[in-house]
Amino acid sequence: MTENTQQQTAPITELPTQYAPAEVEGPLYERWVERGYFEADAKSDKPPYTIVIPPPNVTGSLHLGHAFEHTLIDALTRRKRMQGFETLWQPGMDHAGIATQNVVERELAKEGKSRHDLGREAFVERVWQWKAESGGQISGQMKRLGDGVAWSRERFTMDEGLSQAVQTIFKKLYDDELIYRAERIINWCPRCLTAISDIEVEYQDDDGELVSIRYGEGDDSLVVATTRAETMLGDTAVAVHPDDERYRHLIGKQIKLPLTDRTIPVVADTHVDPEFGTGAVKVTPAHDPNDFEIGQRHNLPNLAVMDERAVITVHGPFQGLDRMEARSAIVAALRAEGRIVAEKRPYTHSVGHCSRCKTTIEPRLSMQWWVKVGPLAQAAGDAVRDGKVKIHPQEMEKRYFDWVDNLHDWCISRQLWWGHRIPVWYGPNGEVVCVGPDEQPPTGEGWHQDTDVLDTWFSSGLWPFSTLGWPERTESLEKFYPNSVLVTGYDILFFWVARMMMFGLYAMDGTPPFHTIALHGMVRDQNGKKMSKSFGNVVNPLDWMDTYGSDAVRFTLARGANPGVDVPIGEDWVQASSKFANKIWNATRFALMNGATVEGPLPDASEMSATDRWILSRLNKTVAEVDAFYDDYQFSKLSDALYHFAWDEVFDWYVELSKTTFFAGGEGARVSGRVLGEVLDVMLRLLHPVVPFVTETLWTTLTGGESVVIADWPKAVFVPGADAPGGFRDTAAEQEIALVQRVITEVRRFRKDQGLQDAQKVPARLALDGTPLAAHEGAIRQILRLQPEGDGFAATASLPVAGAIVALDLSGTIDVEAERKRLTKDLAAAEKEKAQANGKLGNEAFLAKAPDNVVEKIRTRLAKADEDIARIEAQLATLPQA
């Protein structure tokens, strides 16, 4: 071998006849963990490489999105570990406030209890008990996938250390007047009884109703349209555009609000689109975010008409009704008064739902805690603009800037019991005290802590540095911050990534939390459709792993991963990847049985055949390609490059071309066995980050090394006797083997056209003298099942290809007349194609208008037609005359 393989021993040359992933994967992973391969040493003098895991919810289980993202991260970290970096893939889980509280509340409901029956302290203790017994099953599933994380460093967002980090940064932000308390519109779930973040709102098209209501009387009336008639009870104005001539006479006037004894003003606001609907909109500041902004600009009162459960609280006839019941009742009452101008049912429109319980979200005016994001977002945007942080792919930068440059203040309080409780105490005389982690909260009569907890994204926004011990300046923080790269989905670019950027720059003295943000798409089904339980197309990756092995799932996901683009996946693709893993196994097993070895140095170039030099040249090309694709996060391209090199070039060509050499034995077999061993060694190391299990078994068997996990990442191979400063390349050998491949491919196609079976032997005369093909006659004959010509040989078909002639005796194997008819028909089709292409290329008007790529395609078609005509005419010429 040319590089260190650790604890070299004599290689084992036998493998089981079949690869059984279920028998291999579990024990291998346990061995890796026991030997500490995935741990990271803060005292190491190796350069650091750090990636945090996007913390999965403690309530979660491994879904296909996790498997996809984890495969990409694991591939990056495994490669960097092999390259000699002190590699940390930081694991952990998120406490998932609302999701976890819902799970435990459902358990309590089965016992006929609610959290209020237990009280806050006992309920929180019950959640911790649930976590210990049932939470975190995803950790075991991550091991099934092969995640090479530093398990000894696993963190949880409610750990003591991370809780201290949360309290520290809250206090710092509060003291810097970047956290404040105010009454604003928030997303409210009437079932979970809490504010929820934007990312916890799922939008879907619902069938509702659009009703147009006349406000006011006579000339002083106007019509507004709404899908939420129940909120009209909280209207405090009607808004029109200041330049809308239709309503200019009404601006500043009071009009009667139907069904109430109130009048409301008509205000002019540029937010109103005069071209949409009637150009007049009802303004309900306490129940709509846009209306709230209008209300702020015009000093309108905020009139809340629903309680926390979305039950109407005002106006006698409707008081006590659920919002949906009130909607129908109010429309009926308006209809009775002749106020309904138009009704549209069903009216399909986008409606927000709680992602946890699917309840329709209610915008609600509420007193909440907020982060003033202006200066934080400015820093987060500048870090990318200044090049401190790179977003990959670069075209995603625009989406990032669109978000951070227009970020609204962030509502961080949640009306839950499970989570980081807001560290603010209120006194009996209106005092407000924010308490840091090392400070004692105020005591005495009348003092109490805020009952809300913090949004889960608040603690996960600290993840890149809180997991390393911040606010303490630990060795791990000094070594592994900032992260090298963040690998995450573009769908949480705004929510998680932006928050980590803001908090990292703020807490870490302007140092961003990562150098690169590598964004990937979402996993979809094989038809490109979003996976959803309602669609019935959700896939459990564990089922596929049970059937096909983890390597097959990983390779399928990596092979579909183009930066920032969604990934379609189907079971047949996983099955194909399983065949690839089996191909690697079977081909390596064959190679080991036929002399493949890593023992001793590579032979001198002068001792090698052109086939040997060709595969080593192609190997170096592949090493360079894979490195470039890794550095550009092109997982799909690197996987494809490895697939085609392994299957096509190594197994289908090199092994087949070398079989005659291996079977002959002697010095040629020894040289090719050493070359094949080198190729397999490097190829398995290249494949390892994506398909770790099968490569570990094969590589350790081939080399006798301790583990491919800690083997050196491949570099260019150098061949003794060949002057190659950047690694061995032999273009002459590549050109020579290309000719061999062309001959074999053309004859194979001809045999197929004649209906000959692959194993059917055919007498042949090979005129190869004077060409580079002469040295490969044995291999060509063996691969193509061409027997030597014997007595009575009659060349019934003669194929000129690559400067040589392959004459075949097909007497008794084909119907000559039927073959002549078939070829004549193919020739006519090729000539028609040529005429059509020539016609277009000879049309000046067409050439003047057609795009360059279209013209180039036609030229390519013409060249292909010429080639087909020459080939078919040659085949016709070889057929015996009647």
Side-chain angles (χ1 to χ4, degrees), residues 768-807:
L768 307 178
D769 292 343
T771 74
L773 297 166
H776 304 278
E777 180 170 350
I780 291 172
R781 284 188 176 277
Q782 177 172 317
I783 292 171
L784 291 172
R785 306 292 194 270
L786 301 180
Q787 292 179 315
E789 57 182 298
D791 294 339
F793 176 83
T796 59
S798 185
L799 304 177
V801 56
I805 296 176
V806 179

Side-chain angles (χ1 to χ4, degrees), residues 675-709:
V675 169
L676 180 54
E678 186 75 11
V679 170
L680 291 176
D681 168 29
V682 174
M683 183 194 78
L684 291 170
R685 282 184 282 150
L686 287 174
L687 279 164
H688 172 73
V690 181
V691 284
F693 294 107
V694 67
T695 52
E696 171 79 340
T697 305
L698 295 175
W699 187 86
T700 52
T701 301
L702 170 71
T703 68
E706 179 185 342
S707 172
V708 70
V709 176

Side-chain angles (χ1 to χ4, degrees), residues 435-628:
V435 177
D438 299 322
E439 300 172 348
Q440 290 296 320
T443 57
E445 187 176 350
W447 282 94
H448 63 280
Q449 187 177 359
D450 195 299
T451 57
D452 288 353
V453 300
L454 287 164
D455 178 12
T456 297
W457 295 101
F458 191 93
S459 52
S460 60
L462 313 180
W463 194 245
F465 52 93
S466 64
T467 52
L468 298 173
W470 187 89
E472 300 298 324
R473 302 299 298 194
T474 63
E475 285 184 318
S476 290
L477 188 67
E478 296 293 338
K479 177 75 174 181
F480 295 113
Y481 186 91
N483 283 203
S484 306
V485 61
L486 172 74
V487 179
T488 191
Y490 66 73
D491 54 321
I492 57 172
L493 172 63
F494 314 132
F495 306 104
W496 187 45
V497 179
R499 281 148 174 65
M500 286 191 291
M501 285 286 283
M502 291 191 295
F503 280 167
L505 289 160
Y506 175 74
M508 299 300 294
D509 302 320
T511 302
F514 16 75
H515 297 301
T516 301
I517 301 167
L519 298 171
H520 58 73
M522 299 170 61
V523 179
R524 296 180 177 270
D525 71 12
Q526 60 190 13
N527 299 312
K529 193 173 184 179
K530 181 180 178 181
M531 288 191 177
S532 166
K533 290 181 180 178
S534 61
F535 295 153
N537 62 351
V538 173
V539 172
N540 183 349
L542 297 169
D543 292 339
W544 281 352
M545 289 156 66
D546 288 341
T547 305
Y548 303 108
S550 297
D551 283 336
V553 175
R554 290 170 62 113
F555 191 73
T556 305
L557 291 165
R559 202 173 180 190
N562 289 300
V565 178
D566 289 347
V567 182
I569 186 172
E571 186 169 3
D572 52 340
W573 302 338
V574 183
Q575 189 175 19
S577 295
S578 174
K579 291 179 180 177
F580 178 54
N582 286 321
K583 180 74 171 180
I584 299 170
W585 181 275
N586 292 332
T588 303
R589 181 172 178 272
F590 170 86
L592 288 169
M593 293 171 62
N594 286 276
T597 180
V598 297
E599 292 183 344
L602 275 174
D604 192 273
S606 61
E607 300 178 64
M608 295 182 186
S609 67
T611 308
D612 295 331
R613 298 195 306 275
W614 166 76
I615 196 62
L616 290 174
S617 186
R618 300 300 297 172
L619 175 65
N620 277 345
K621 179 177 181 292
T622 302
V623 170
E625 284 181 344
V626 169
D627 274 332

Side-chain angles (χ1 to χ4, degrees), residues 205-525:
D205 288 340
D206 287 356
D207 285 340
E209 61 181 1
L210 179 69
V211 293
S212 297
I213 310 167
R214 180 170 51 84
Y215 284 24
E217 306 292 342
D219 292 339
D220 289 348
S221 68
L222 38 66
V223 175
V224 300
T226 182
T227 58
R228 303 169 67 222
E230 69 280 6
T231 64
M232 67 162 291
L233 300 176
D235 287 357
T236 55
V238 173
V240 298
H241 194 278
D243 298 332
D244 194 333
E245 292 294 337
R246 294 172 295 176
Y247 305 119
R248 188 179 294 276
H249 69 289
L250 289 176
I251 295 173
K253 287 188 175 182
Q254 296 280 327
I255 61 172
K256 179 75 163 58
L257 179 65
L259 304 183
T260 72
D261 57 2
R262 293 190 292 117
T263 61
I264 57 177
V266 178
V267 299
D269 198 281
T270 54
H271 171 77
V272 179
D273 181 1
E275 303 298 324
F276 183 77
T278 64
V281 297
K282 59 192 289 297
V283 182
T284 320
H287 293 278
D288 183 275
N290 293 322
D291 292 2
F292 178 80
E293 297 296 331
I294 294 174
Q296 292 291 101
R297 289 193 289 272
H298 297 277
N299 296 314
L300 299 175
N302 301 316
L303 179 58
V305 297
M306 288 181 236
D307 67 11
E308 60 184 6
R309 298 183 185 275
V311 172
I312 302 297
T313 58
V314 299
H315 200 68
F318 312 109
Q319 192 168 358
L321 294 180
D322 172 82
R323 56 183 166 166
M324 302 304 178
E325 298 171 333
R327 182 175 300 173
S328 299
I330 287 170
V331 170
L334 289 167
R335 192 183 299 115
E337 288 192 4
R339 293 282 176 179
I340 301 295
V341 175
E343 298 180 67
K344 185 175 181 181
R345 294 189 187 86
Y347 178 73
T348 303
H349 61 132
S350 181
V351 177
H353 296 261
C354 174
S355 63
R356 304 300 175 190
C357 67
K358 311 309 177 186
T359 302
T360 300
I361 290 301
E362 188 63 42
R364 185 168 189 256
L365 186 65
S366 180
M367 182 67 75
Q368 302 285 344
W369 285 93
W370 303 82
V371 172
K372 185 185 295 182
V373 299
L376 302 175
Q378 177 70 43
D382 289 346
V384 175
R385 289 188 183 92
D386 298 344
K388 291 181 180 178
V389 177
K390 297 187 183 303
I391 293 180
H392 187 86
Q394 190 174 2
E395 54 265 27
M396 286 286 182
E397 282 186 4
K398 183 180 183 301
R399 296 181 65 176
Y400 177 78
F401 293 136
D402 286 346
W403 179 258
V404 298
D405 292 346
N406 299 284
L407 202 56
H408 298 294
D409 285 0
W410 170 22
C411 175
I412 55 172
S413 46
R414 300 290 180 266
Q415 291 64 56
L416 303 170
W417 286 358
W418 172 246
H420 297 102
R421 194 164 175 180
I422 288 176
V424 171
W425 270 255
Y426 304 105
N429 300 311
E431 301 97 332
V432 179
V433 176
C434 180
V435 177
D438 299 322
E439 300 172 348
Q440 290 296 320
T443 57
E445 187 176 350
W447 282 94
H448 63 280
Q449 187 177 359
D450 195 299
T451 57
D452 288 353
V453 300
L454 287 164
D455 178 12
T456 297
W457 295 101
F458 191 93
S459 52
S460 60
L462 313 180
W463 194 245
F465 52 93
S466 64
T467 52
L468 298 173
W470 187 89
E472 300 298 324
R473 302 299 298 194
T474 63
E475 285 184 318
S476 290
L477 188 67
E478 296 293 338
K479 177 75 174 181
F480 295 113
Y481 186 91
N483 283 203
S484 306
V485 61
L486 172 74
V487 179
T488 191
Y490 66 73
D491 54 321
I492 57 172
L493 172 63
F494 314 132
F495 306 104
W496 187 45
V497 179
R499 281 148 174 65
M500 286 191 291
M501 285 286 283
M502 291 191 295
F503 280 167
L505 289 160
Y506 175 74
M508 299 300 294
D509 302 320
T511 302
F514 16 75
H515 297 301
T516 301
I517 301 167
L519 298 171
H520 58 73
M522 299 170 61
V523 179
R524 296 180 177 270
D525 71 12

Side-chain angles (χ1 to χ4, degrees), residues 12-25:
I12 303 167
T13 56
E14 291 190 10
L15 288 165
T17 55
Q18 290 186 331
Y19 176 50
E23 298 175 10
V24 169
E25 293 173 354

Side-chain angles (χ1 to χ4, degrees), residues 82-288:
M82 295 170 75
Q83 285 182 316
F85 286 77
E86 192 62 36
T87 303
L88 169 60
W89 183 10
Q90 173 65 55
M93 285 183 293
D94 191 284
H95 65 278
I98 191 169
T100 307
Q101 180 158 319
N102 280 346
V103 168
V104 178
E105 285 195 88
R106 282 195 294 269
E107 285 194 353
L108 286 174
K110 294 175 184 176
E111 303 170 14
K113 298 178 182 178
S114 73
R115 61 183 164 118
H116 299 285
D117 294 325
L118 271 67
R120 183 166 192 148
E121 187 175 337
F123 176 77
V124 170
E125 182 59 36
R126 178 70 176 259
V127 180
W128 278 108
Q129 179 183 338
W130 174 88
K131 176 189 179 291
E133 295 173 355
S134 307
Q137 63 173 328
I138 194 172
S139 296
Q141 296 164 350
M142 288 163 56
K143 295 175 182 178
R144 285 278 315 276
L145 188 66
D147 285 5
V149 300
W151 287 113
S152 68
R153 291 172 172 266
E154 186 175 13
R155 304 304 299 268
F156 180 56
T157 49
M158 290 282 285
D159 283 350
E160 182 179 350
L162 272 66
S163 296
Q164 183 181 24
V166 168
Q167 194 170 354
T168 299
I169 201 163
F170 187 99
K171 170 70 171 174
K172 180 174 171 59
L173 289 163
Y174 182 87
D175 289 346
D176 288 344
E177 298 183 349
L178 292 173
I179 280 184
Y180 64 95
R181 194 169 183 243
E183 194 174 43
R184 299 276 184 83
I185 292 284
I186 44 88
N187 299 310
W188 181 265
C189 177
R191 185 264 170 216
C192 297
L193 300 181
T194 181
I196 65 173
S197 67
D198 292 336
I199 200 172
E200 292 167 317
V201 180
E202 292 181 348
Y203 288 91
Q204 66 185 47
D205 288 340
D206 287 356
D207 285 340
E209 61 181 1
L210 179 69
V211 293
S212 297
I213 310 167
R214 180 170 51 84
Y215 284 24
E217 306 292 342
D219 292 339
D220 289 348
S221 68
L222 38 66
V223 175
V224 300
T226 182
T227 58
R228 303 169 67 222
E230 69 280 6
T231 64
M232 67 162 291
L233 300 176
D235 287 357
T236 55
V238 173
V240 298
H241 194 278
D243 298 332
D244 194 333
E245 292 294 337
R246 294 172 295 176
Y247 305 119
R248 188 179 294 276
H249 69 289
L250 289 176
I251 295 173
K253 287 188 175 182
Q254 296 280 327
I255 61 172
K256 179 75 163 58
L257 179 65
L259 304 183
T260 72
D261 57 2
R262 293 190 292 117
T263 61
I264 57 177
V266 178
V267 299
D269 198 281
T270 54
H271 171 77
V272 179
D273 181 1
E275 303 298 324
F276 183 77
T278 64
V281 297
K282 59 192 289 297
V283 182
T284 320
H287 293 278
D288 183 275

